[in-house]
mmCIF file of all heavy atoms in Angstrom:
data_model
loop_
_atom_site.group_PDB
_atom_site.id
_atom_site.type_symbol
_atom_site.label_atom_id
_atom_site.label_comp_id
_atom_site.label_asym_id
_atom_site.label_seq_id
_atom_site.Cartn_x
_atom_site.Cartn_y
_atom_site.Cartn_z
ATOM 1 N N VAL A 731 -6.022 -18.776 -0.143
ATOM 2 C CA VAL A 731 -5.531 -17.658 -0.955
ATOM 3 C C VAL A 731 -4.845 -16.677 -0.020
ATOM 4 O O VAL A 731 -5.491 -15.836 0.610
ATOM 5 C CB VAL A 731 -6.681 -16.962 -1.707
ATOM 6 C CG1 VAL A 731 -6.123 -15.912 -2.675
ATOM 7 C CG2 VAL A 731 -7.534 -17.981 -2.446
ATOM 8 N N VAL A 732 -3.509 -16.775 0.087
ATOM 9 C CA VAL A 732 -2.798 -15.948 1.058
ATOM 10 C C VAL A 732 -1.581 -15.234 0.455
ATOM 11 O O VAL A 732 -0.737 -14.744 1.196
ATOM 12 C CB VAL A 732 -2.375 -16.774 2.299
ATOM 13 C CG1 VAL A 732 -3.600 -17.130 3.139
ATOM 14 C CG2 VAL A 732 -1.597 -18.023 1.904
ATOM 15 N N ASN A 733 -1.505 -15.176 -0.875
ATOM 16 C CA ASN A 733 -0.534 -14.263 -1.481
ATOM 17 C C ASN A 733 -1.060 -12.840 -1.404
ATOM 18 O O ASN A 733 -0.290 -11.884 -1.335
ATOM 19 C CB ASN A 733 -0.285 -14.630 -2.943
ATOM 20 C CG ASN A 733 0.604 -13.633 -3.648
ATOM 21 O OD1 ASN A 733 1.800 -13.569 -3.396
ATOM 22 N ND2 ASN A 733 0.019 -12.820 -4.520
ATOM 23 N N HIS A 734 -2.377 -12.726 -1.400
ATOM 24 C CA HIS A 734 -3.020 -11.424 -1.419
ATOM 25 C C HIS A 734 -4.367 -11.517 -0.722
ATOM 26 O O HIS A 734 -4.883 -12.606 -0.473
ATOM 27 C CB HIS A 734 -3.204 -10.928 -2.852
ATOM 28 C CG HIS A 734 -3.784 -11.971 -3.765
ATOM 29 N ND1 HIS A 734 -2.996 -12.802 -4.544
ATOM 30 C CD2 HIS A 734 -5.058 -12.362 -4.018
ATOM 31 C CE1 HIS A 734 -3.761 -13.637 -5.231
ATOM 32 N NE2 HIS A 734 -5.022 -13.388 -4.931
ATOM 33 N N THR A 735 -4.941 -10.385 -0.401
ATOM 34 C CA THR A 735 -6.307 -10.308 0.133
ATOM 35 C C THR A 735 -7.117 -9.391 -0.778
ATOM 36 O O THR A 735 -6.639 -8.927 -1.812
ATOM 37 C CB THR A 735 -6.329 -9.726 1.559
ATOM 38 O OG1 THR A 735 -5.977 -8.330 1.509
ATOM 39 C CG2 THR A 735 -5.376 -10.472 2.487
ATOM 40 N N SER A 736 -8.336 -9.120 -0.362
ATOM 41 C CA SER A 736 -9.134 -8.059 -0.982
ATOM 42 C C SER A 736 -8.759 -6.713 -0.349
ATOM 43 O O SER A 736 -8.290 -6.661 0.787
ATOM 44 C CB SER A 736 -10.619 -8.334 -0.759
ATOM 45 O OG SER A 736 -11.395 -7.179 -1.035
ATOM 46 N N THR A 737 -8.986 -5.650 -1.098
ATOM 47 C CA THR A 737 -8.835 -4.319 -0.503
ATOM 48 C C THR A 737 -9.864 -4.091 0.597
ATOM 49 O O THR A 737 -9.706 -3.176 1.417
ATOM 50 C CB THR A 737 -8.994 -3.218 -1.570
ATOM 51 O OG1 THR A 737 -10.215 -3.443 -2.290
ATOM 52 C CG2 THR A 737 -7.825 -3.206 -2.538
ATOM 53 N N GLU A 738 -10.909 -4.936 0.636
ATOM 54 C CA GLU A 738 -11.939 -4.810 1.666
ATOM 55 C C GLU A 738 -11.593 -5.566 2.950
ATOM 56 O O GLU A 738 -12.344 -5.496 3.924
ATOM 57 C CB GLU A 738 -13.282 -5.320 1.119
ATOM 58 C CG GLU A 738 -13.812 -4.537 -0.062
ATOM 59 C CD GLU A 738 -13.985 -3.059 0.260
ATOM 60 O OE1 GLU A 738 -14.605 -2.763 1.306
ATOM 61 O OE2 GLU A 738 -13.459 -2.209 -0.492
ATOM 62 N N HIS A 739 -10.495 -6.278 2.962
ATOM 63 C CA HIS A 739 -10.097 -6.991 4.180
ATOM 64 C C HIS A 739 -9.679 -5.977 5.250
ATOM 65 O O HIS A 739 -9.064 -4.954 4.948
ATOM 66 C CB HIS A 739 -8.936 -7.948 3.885
ATOM 67 C CG HIS A 739 -8.724 -8.984 4.937
ATOM 68 N ND1 HIS A 739 -8.203 -8.685 6.175
ATOM 69 C CD2 HIS A 739 -8.975 -10.321 4.952
ATOM 70 C CE1 HIS A 739 -8.133 -9.791 6.905
ATOM 71 N NE2 HIS A 739 -8.605 -10.792 6.175
ATOM 72 N N GLU A 740 -10.007 -6.271 6.502
ATOM 73 C CA GLU A 740 -9.681 -5.359 7.587
ATOM 74 C C GLU A 740 -8.183 -5.108 7.693
ATOM 75 O O GLU A 740 -7.755 -4.013 8.063
ATOM 76 C CB GLU A 740 -10.227 -5.882 8.917
ATOM 77 C CG GLU A 740 -11.740 -5.802 9.036
ATOM 78 C CD GLU A 740 -12.267 -4.379 8.881
ATOM 79 O OE1 GLU A 740 -11.635 -3.444 9.427
ATOM 80 O OE2 GLU A 740 -13.296 -4.194 8.202
ATOM 81 N N TRP A 741 -7.377 -6.115 7.378
ATOM 82 C CA TRP A 741 -5.928 -5.911 7.425
ATOM 83 C C TRP A 741 -5.508 -4.805 6.471
ATOM 84 O O TRP A 741 -4.691 -3.947 6.812
ATOM 85 C CB TRP A 741 -5.185 -7.201 7.053
ATOM 86 C CG TRP A 741 -5.374 -8.350 7.992
ATOM 87 C CD1 TRP A 741 -5.932 -8.328 9.232
ATOM 88 C CD2 TRP A 741 -4.992 -9.708 7.738
ATOM 89 N NE1 TRP A 741 -5.929 -9.581 9.782
ATOM 90 C CE2 TRP A 741 -5.355 -10.445 8.891
ATOM 91 C CE3 TRP A 741 -4.387 -10.369 6.682
ATOM 92 C CZ2 TRP A 741 -5.132 -11.829 8.989
ATOM 93 C CZ3 TRP A 741 -4.144 -11.731 6.767
ATOM 94 C CH2 TRP A 741 -4.519 -12.450 7.922
ATOM 95 N N PHE A 742 -6.048 -4.830 5.253
ATOM 96 C CA PHE A 742 -5.649 -3.812 4.281
ATOM 97 C C PHE A 742 -6.248 -2.452 4.636
ATOM 98 O O PHE A 742 -5.604 -1.412 4.436
ATOM 99 C CB PHE A 742 -6.054 -4.215 2.866
ATOM 100 C CG PHE A 742 -5.494 -3.272 1.825
ATOM 101 C CD1 PHE A 742 -4.149 -3.304 1.508
ATOM 102 C CD2 PHE A 742 -6.315 -2.352 1.177
ATOM 103 C CE1 PHE A 742 -3.613 -2.434 0.560
ATOM 104 C CE2 PHE A 742 -5.797 -1.481 0.234
ATOM 105 C CZ PHE A 742 -4.443 -1.509 -0.079
ATOM 106 N N LYS A 743 -7.454 -2.448 5.145
ATOM 107 C CA LYS A 743 -8.047 -1.170 5.549
ATOM 108 C C LYS A 743 -7.175 -0.482 6.589
ATOM 109 O O LYS A 743 -6.967 0.740 6.544
ATOM 110 C CB LYS A 743 -9.460 -1.385 6.084
ATOM 111 C CG LYS A 743 -10.477 -1.761 5.027
ATOM 112 C CD LYS A 743 -11.851 -1.951 5.650
ATOM 113 C CE LYS A 743 -12.904 -2.306 4.611
ATOM 114 N NZ LYS A 743 -14.240 -2.518 5.218
ATOM 115 N N GLU A 744 -6.656 -1.267 7.541
ATOM 116 C CA GLU A 744 -5.739 -0.691 8.523
ATOM 117 C C GLU A 744 -4.439 -0.269 7.857
ATOM 118 O O GLU A 744 -3.904 0.806 8.132
ATOM 119 C CB GLU A 744 -5.438 -1.710 9.623
ATOM 120 C CG GLU A 744 -6.574 -1.954 10.597
ATOM 121 C CD GLU A 744 -6.117 -2.776 11.792
ATOM 122 O OE1 GLU A 744 -5.097 -2.405 12.409
ATOM 123 O OE2 GLU A 744 -6.769 -3.795 12.099
ATOM 124 N N SER A 745 -3.921 -1.107 6.989
ATOM 125 C CA SER A 745 -2.638 -0.840 6.357
ATOM 126 C C SER A 745 -2.651 0.459 5.561
ATOM 127 O O SER A 745 -1.667 1.215 5.575
ATOM 128 C CB SER A 745 -2.258 -2.001 5.436
ATOM 129 O OG SER A 745 -0.985 -1.828 4.873
ATOM 130 N N ARG A 746 -3.755 0.748 4.885
ATOM 131 C CA ARG A 746 -3.816 1.945 4.059
ATOM 132 C C ARG A 746 -4.310 3.169 4.832
ATOM 133 O O ARG A 746 -4.363 4.273 4.272
ATOM 134 C CB ARG A 746 -4.688 1.687 2.832
ATOM 135 C CG ARG A 746 -6.181 1.798 3.069
ATOM 136 C CD ARG A 746 -7.011 1.381 1.870
ATOM 137 N NE ARG A 746 -6.591 2.019 0.629
ATOM 138 C CZ ARG A 746 -7.150 1.768 -0.564
ATOM 139 N NH1 ARG A 746 -8.167 0.893 -0.654
ATOM 140 N NH2 ARG A 746 -6.732 2.372 -1.644
ATOM 141 N N SER A 747 -4.640 2.984 6.112
ATOM 142 C CA SER A 747 -5.197 4.100 6.884
ATOM 143 C C SER A 747 -4.148 5.172 7.193
ATOM 144 O O SER A 747 -4.470 6.359 7.284
ATOM 145 C CB SER A 747 -5.827 3.601 8.190
ATOM 146 O OG SER A 747 -4.829 3.036 9.046
ATOM 147 N N SER A 748 -2.886 4.761 7.347
ATOM 148 C CA SER A 748 -1.810 5.729 7.583
ATOM 149 C C SER A 748 -0.476 5.025 7.427
ATOM 150 O O SER A 748 -0.376 3.807 7.570
ATOM 151 C CB SER A 748 -1.908 6.355 8.979
ATOM 152 O OG SER A 748 -1.593 5.403 9.978
ATOM 153 N N ARG A 749 0.551 5.807 7.203
ATOM 154 C CA ARG A 749 1.875 5.226 7.015
ATOM 155 C C ARG A 749 2.451 4.636 8.305
ATOM 156 O O ARG A 749 3.357 3.804 8.242
ATOM 157 C CB ARG A 749 2.849 6.265 6.461
ATOM 158 C CG ARG A 749 2.581 6.660 5.029
ATOM 159 C CD ARG A 749 3.817 7.318 4.460
ATOM 160 N NE ARG A 749 3.570 7.926 3.149
ATOM 161 C CZ ARG A 749 4.510 8.438 2.376
ATOM 162 N NH1 ARG A 749 5.776 8.420 2.793
ATOM 163 N NH2 ARG A 749 4.222 8.974 1.218
ATOM 164 N N ASP A 750 1.963 5.091 9.451
ATOM 165 C CA ASP A 750 2.503 4.583 10.713
ATOM 166 C C ASP A 750 1.581 3.567 11.389
ATOM 167 O O ASP A 750 1.780 3.203 12.545
ATOM 168 C CB ASP A 750 2.826 5.732 11.677
ATOM 169 C CG ASP A 750 1.602 6.613 11.978
ATOM 170 O OD1 ASP A 750 0.498 6.302 11.468
ATOM 171 O OD2 ASP A 750 1.759 7.599 12.707
ATOM 172 N N ASN A 751 0.576 3.089 10.669
ATOM 173 C CA ASN A 751 -0.279 2.054 11.239
ATOM 174 C C ASN A 751 0.526 0.774 11.458
ATOM 175 O O ASN A 751 1.383 0.424 10.638
ATOM 176 C CB ASN A 751 -1.449 1.777 10.298
ATOM 177 C CG ASN A 751 -2.465 0.801 10.898
ATOM 178 O OD1 ASN A 751 -2.267 -0.418 10.836
ATOM 179 N ND2 ASN A 751 -3.516 1.327 11.482
ATOM 180 N N PRO A 752 0.276 0.036 12.551
ATOM 181 C CA PRO A 752 1.037 -1.201 12.811
ATOM 182 C C PRO A 752 0.960 -2.233 11.681
ATOM 183 O O PRO A 752 1.865 -3.048 11.540
ATOM 184 C CB PRO A 752 0.388 -1.743 14.094
ATOM 185 C CG PRO A 752 -0.161 -0.529 14.777
ATOM 186 C CD PRO A 752 -0.618 0.376 13.674
ATOM 187 N N LYS A 753 -0.106 -2.193 10.889
ATOM 188 C CA LYS A 753 -0.239 -3.151 9.791
ATOM 189 C C LYS A 753 0.202 -2.575 8.444
ATOM 190 O O LYS A 753 0.004 -3.197 7.406
ATOM 191 C CB LYS A 753 -1.680 -3.664 9.693
ATOM 192 C CG LYS A 753 -2.072 -4.634 10.809
ATOM 193 C CD LYS A 753 -3.408 -5.287 10.534
ATOM 194 C CE LYS A 753 -3.745 -6.345 11.578
ATOM 195 N NZ LYS A 753 -3.875 -5.811 12.930
ATOM 196 N N ARG A 754 0.804 -1.396 8.463
ATOM 197 C CA ARG A 754 1.269 -0.816 7.203
ATOM 198 C C ARG A 754 2.187 -1.783 6.480
ATOM 199 O O ARG A 754 2.084 -1.986 5.261
ATOM 200 C CB ARG A 754 2.009 0.496 7.476
ATOM 201 C CG ARG A 754 2.525 1.211 6.214
ATOM 202 C CD ARG A 754 1.376 1.718 5.372
ATOM 203 N NE ARG A 754 1.842 2.598 4.284
ATOM 204 C CZ ARG A 754 1.034 3.226 3.451
ATOM 205 N NH1 ARG A 754 -0.286 3.074 3.544
ATOM 206 N NH2 ARG A 754 1.515 4.008 2.506
ATOM 207 N N ASP A 755 3.084 -2.425 7.221
ATOM 208 C CA ASP A 755 4.082 -3.305 6.623
ATOM 209 C C ASP A 755 3.537 -4.706 6.342
ATOM 210 O O ASP A 755 4.280 -5.586 5.927
ATOM 211 C CB ASP A 755 5.312 -3.395 7.543
ATOM 212 C CG ASP A 755 6.504 -4.005 6.845
ATOM 213 O OD1 ASP A 755 6.736 -3.662 5.676
ATOM 214 O OD2 ASP A 755 7.196 -4.843 7.453
ATOM 215 N N TRP A 756 2.246 -4.925 6.557
ATOM 216 C CA TRP A 756 1.645 -6.223 6.203
ATOM 217 C C TRP A 756 1.395 -6.317 4.698
ATOM 218 O O TRP A 756 1.101 -7.401 4.188
ATOM 219 C CB TRP A 756 0.348 -6.439 6.969
ATOM 220 C CG TRP A 756 0.558 -6.808 8.421
ATOM 221 C CD1 TRP A 756 1.585 -6.417 9.225
ATOM 222 C CD2 TRP A 756 -0.276 -7.641 9.208
ATOM 223 N NE1 TRP A 756 1.439 -6.957 10.481
ATOM 224 C CE2 TRP A 756 0.293 -7.711 10.502
ATOM 225 C CE3 TRP A 756 -1.464 -8.320 8.974
ATOM 226 C CZ2 TRP A 756 -0.272 -8.455 11.543
ATOM 227 C CZ3 TRP A 756 -2.042 -9.058 10.002
ATOM 228 C CH2 TRP A 756 -1.447 -9.125 11.267
ATOM 229 N N TYR A 757 1.498 -5.182 4.022
ATOM 230 C CA TYR A 757 1.375 -5.143 2.560
ATOM 231 C C TYR A 757 2.617 -4.451 2.017
ATOM 232 O O TYR A 757 3.482 -4.013 2.787
ATOM 233 C CB TYR A 757 0.085 -4.425 2.139
ATOM 234 C CG TYR A 757 -1.161 -5.182 2.558
ATOM 235 C CD1 TYR A 757 -1.667 -5.077 3.853
ATOM 236 C CD2 TYR A 757 -1.825 -6.037 1.678
ATOM 237 C CE1 TYR A 757 -2.782 -5.799 4.250
ATOM 238 C CE2 TYR A 757 -2.940 -6.755 2.061
ATOM 239 C CZ TYR A 757 -3.421 -6.643 3.350
ATOM 240 O OH TYR A 757 -4.518 -7.358 3.736
ATOM 241 N N ILE A 758 2.740 -4.369 0.717
ATOM 242 C CA ILE A 758 3.971 -3.866 0.103
ATOM 243 C C ILE A 758 3.710 -2.484 -0.473
ATOM 244 O O ILE A 758 3.034 -2.331 -1.503
ATOM 245 C CB ILE A 758 4.464 -4.844 -0.973
ATOM 246 C CG1 ILE A 758 4.763 -6.208 -0.330
ATOM 247 C CG2 ILE A 758 5.712 -4.287 -1.672
ATOM 248 C CD1 ILE A 758 5.033 -7.322 -1.315
ATOM 249 N N TRP A 759 4.227 -1.478 0.210
ATOM 250 C CA TRP A 759 4.041 -0.080 -0.165
ATOM 251 C C TRP A 759 5.369 0.517 -0.626
ATOM 252 O O TRP A 759 6.411 0.273 -0.021
ATOM 253 C CB TRP A 759 3.521 0.721 1.025
ATOM 254 C CG TRP A 759 2.150 0.323 1.499
ATOM 255 C CD1 TRP A 759 1.845 -0.614 2.430
ATOM 256 C CD2 TRP A 759 0.922 0.857 1.043
ATOM 257 N NE1 TRP A 759 0.483 -0.699 2.596
ATOM 258 C CE2 TRP A 759 -0.119 0.196 1.749
ATOM 259 C CE3 TRP A 759 0.574 1.836 0.100
ATOM 260 C CZ2 TRP A 759 -1.464 0.480 1.564
ATOM 261 C CZ3 TRP A 759 -0.772 2.127 -0.095
ATOM 262 C CH2 TRP A 759 -1.770 1.443 0.629
ATOM 263 N N LYS A 760 5.342 1.311 -1.677
ATOM 264 C CA LYS A 760 6.549 1.936 -2.197
ATOM 265 C C LYS A 760 6.232 3.354 -2.680
ATOM 266 O O LYS A 760 5.113 3.652 -3.129
ATOM 267 C CB LYS A 760 7.122 1.129 -3.375
ATOM 268 C CG LYS A 760 7.585 -0.272 -3.005
ATOM 269 C CD LYS A 760 8.791 -0.255 -2.064
ATOM 270 C CE LYS A 760 9.162 -1.642 -1.603
ATOM 271 N NZ LYS A 760 10.262 -1.611 -0.598
ATOM 272 N N PRO A 761 7.245 4.237 -2.628
ATOM 273 C CA PRO A 761 7.031 5.608 -3.119
ATOM 274 C C PRO A 761 6.998 5.658 -4.635
ATOM 275 O O PRO A 761 7.475 4.748 -5.328
ATOM 276 C CB PRO A 761 8.246 6.356 -2.563
ATOM 277 C CG PRO A 761 9.305 5.309 -2.426
ATOM 278 C CD PRO A 761 8.574 4.051 -2.031
ATOM 279 N N ALA A 762 6.480 6.735 -5.140
ATOM 280 C CA ALA A 762 6.430 6.951 -6.585
ATOM 281 C C ALA A 762 7.813 7.298 -7.121
ATOM 282 O O ALA A 762 8.710 7.696 -6.381
ATOM 283 C CB ALA A 762 5.458 8.070 -6.911
ATOM 284 N N ARG A 763 7.967 7.131 -8.419
ATOM 285 C CA ARG A 763 9.118 7.661 -9.137
ATOM 286 C C ARG A 763 8.623 8.851 -9.965
ATOM 287 O O ARG A 763 7.492 8.825 -10.470
ATOM 288 C CB ARG A 763 9.742 6.606 -10.051
ATOM 289 C CG ARG A 763 10.315 5.417 -9.316
ATOM 290 C CD ARG A 763 11.063 4.502 -10.272
ATOM 291 N NE ARG A 763 10.202 3.905 -11.291
ATOM 292 C CZ ARG A 763 10.630 3.035 -12.211
ATOM 293 N NH1 ARG A 763 11.899 2.685 -12.253
ATOM 294 N NH2 ARG A 763 9.784 2.526 -13.098
ATOM 295 N N TYR A 764 9.489 9.850 -10.134
ATOM 296 C CA TYR A 764 9.107 11.027 -10.926
ATOM 297 C C TYR A 764 10.138 11.245 -12.029
ATOM 298 O O TYR A 764 11.352 11.107 -11.806
ATOM 299 C CB TYR A 764 9.010 12.269 -10.039
ATOM 300 C CG TYR A 764 7.852 12.192 -9.066
ATOM 301 C CD1 TYR A 764 8.023 11.615 -7.818
ATOM 302 C CD2 TYR A 764 6.597 12.679 -9.410
ATOM 303 C CE1 TYR A 764 6.962 11.527 -6.921
ATOM 304 C CE2 TYR A 764 5.527 12.596 -8.523
ATOM 305 C CZ TYR A 764 5.715 12.020 -7.282
ATOM 306 O OH TYR A 764 4.658 11.931 -6.399
ATOM 307 N N ASP A 765 9.652 11.558 -13.225
ATOM 308 C CA ASP A 765 10.583 11.810 -14.321
ATOM 309 C C ASP A 765 11.034 13.272 -14.302
ATOM 310 O O ASP A 765 10.666 14.050 -13.410
ATOM 311 C CB ASP A 765 9.973 11.412 -15.662
ATOM 312 C CG ASP A 765 8.709 12.195 -16.006
ATOM 313 O OD1 ASP A 765 8.529 13.313 -15.481
ATOM 314 O OD2 ASP A 765 7.900 11.683 -16.816
ATOM 315 N N GLU A 766 11.830 13.656 -15.293
ATOM 316 C CA GLU A 766 12.387 15.011 -15.300
ATOM 317 C C GLU A 766 11.318 16.085 -15.454
ATOM 318 O O GLU A 766 11.547 17.260 -15.136
ATOM 319 C CB GLU A 766 13.420 15.142 -16.431
ATOM 320 C CG GLU A 766 12.900 14.882 -17.826
ATOM 321 C CD GLU A 766 12.945 13.397 -18.205
ATOM 322 O OE1 GLU A 766 13.112 12.550 -17.312
ATOM 323 O OE2 GLU A 766 12.791 13.107 -19.419
ATOM 324 N N ASP A 767 10.105 15.673 -15.916
ATOM 325 C CA ASP A 767 9.004 16.632 -16.036
ATOM 326 C C ASP A 767 8.104 16.631 -14.812
ATOM 327 O O ASP A 767 7.056 17.296 -14.803
ATOM 328 C CB ASP A 767 8.174 16.309 -17.277
ATOM 329 C CG ASP A 767 8.977 16.445 -18.563
ATOM 330 O OD1 ASP A 767 9.788 17.396 -18.651
ATOM 331 O OD2 ASP A 767 8.809 15.602 -19.467
ATOM 332 N N GLY A 768 8.507 15.862 -13.793
ATOM 333 C CA GLY A 768 7.725 15.823 -12.561
ATOM 334 C C GLY A 768 6.503 14.939 -12.637
ATOM 335 O O GLY A 768 5.637 15.001 -11.763
ATOM 336 N N ILE A 769 6.413 14.103 -13.691
ATOM 337 C CA ILE A 769 5.258 13.212 -13.850
ATOM 338 C C ILE A 769 5.478 11.960 -13.000
ATOM 339 O O ILE A 769 6.561 11.361 -13.016
ATOM 340 C CB ILE A 769 5.053 12.840 -15.321
ATOM 341 C CG1 ILE A 769 4.737 14.105 -16.128
ATOM 342 C CG2 ILE A 769 3.935 11.805 -15.474
ATOM 343 C CD1 ILE A 769 4.648 13.870 -17.621
ATOM 344 N N ARG A 770 4.457 11.588 -12.263
ATOM 345 C CA ARG A 770 4.548 10.439 -11.344
ATOM 346 C C ARG A 770 4.467 9.120 -12.113
ATOM 347 O O ARG A 770 3.653 8.970 -13.027
ATOM 348 C CB ARG A 770 3.411 10.506 -10.318
ATOM 349 C CG ARG A 770 3.502 9.466 -9.219
ATOM 350 C CD ARG A 770 2.291 9.498 -8.301
ATOM 351 N NE ARG A 770 1.119 8.920 -8.954
ATOM 352 C CZ ARG A 770 -0.053 9.515 -9.060
ATOM 353 N NH1 ARG A 770 -0.228 10.733 -8.566
ATOM 354 N NH2 ARG A 770 -1.065 8.915 -9.669
ATOM 355 N N HIS A 771 5.284 8.141 -11.700
ATOM 356 C CA HIS A 771 5.275 6.806 -12.290
ATOM 357 C C HIS A 771 5.327 5.754 -11.181
ATOM 358 O O HIS A 771 5.813 6.026 -10.067
ATOM 359 C CB HIS A 771 6.481 6.616 -13.220
ATOM 360 C CG HIS A 771 6.478 7.518 -14.408
ATOM 361 N ND1 HIS A 771 5.730 7.260 -15.540
ATOM 362 C CD2 HIS A 771 7.121 8.704 -14.628
ATOM 363 C CE1 HIS A 771 5.909 8.235 -16.417
ATOM 364 N NE2 HIS A 771 6.749 9.125 -15.891
ATOM 365 N N PRO A 772 4.853 4.545 -11.471
ATOM 366 C CA PRO A 772 4.920 3.466 -10.468
ATOM 367 C C PRO A 772 6.363 3.141 -10.099
ATOM 368 O O PRO A 772 7.303 3.470 -10.835
ATOM 369 C CB PRO A 772 4.239 2.290 -11.170
ATOM 370 C CG PRO A 772 3.400 2.891 -12.238
ATOM 371 C CD PRO A 772 4.138 4.118 -12.688
#
């Protein structure tokens, strides 16, 4: 199973620890979108 891991995997823990972590790019991170009312969307 290598399309994804658990959020408990050490790779993901490092990836989500900061935006400049070396493993940040091992997962797929994207910024939010905001509508005209400032509401956040995926």
Side-chain angles (χ1 to χ4, degrees):
V731 187
V732 289
N733 174 72
H734 47 266
T735 69
S736 165
T737 52
E738 298 303 310
H739 197 288
E740 289 301 319
W741 296 348
F742 188 73
K743 289 180 179 179
E744 287 190 51
S745 184
R746 81 187 310 178
S747 65
S748 70
R749 290 198 189 187
D750 58 2
N751 186 278
K753 287 190 175 62
R754 181 67 170 184
D755 194 42
W756 284 31
Y757 294 82
I758 299 170
W759 295 90
K760 296 294 175 185
R763 296 187 296 182
Y764 292 89
D765 61 23
E766 59 273 15
D767 297 321
I769 297 174
R770 187 185 74 233
H771 296 279

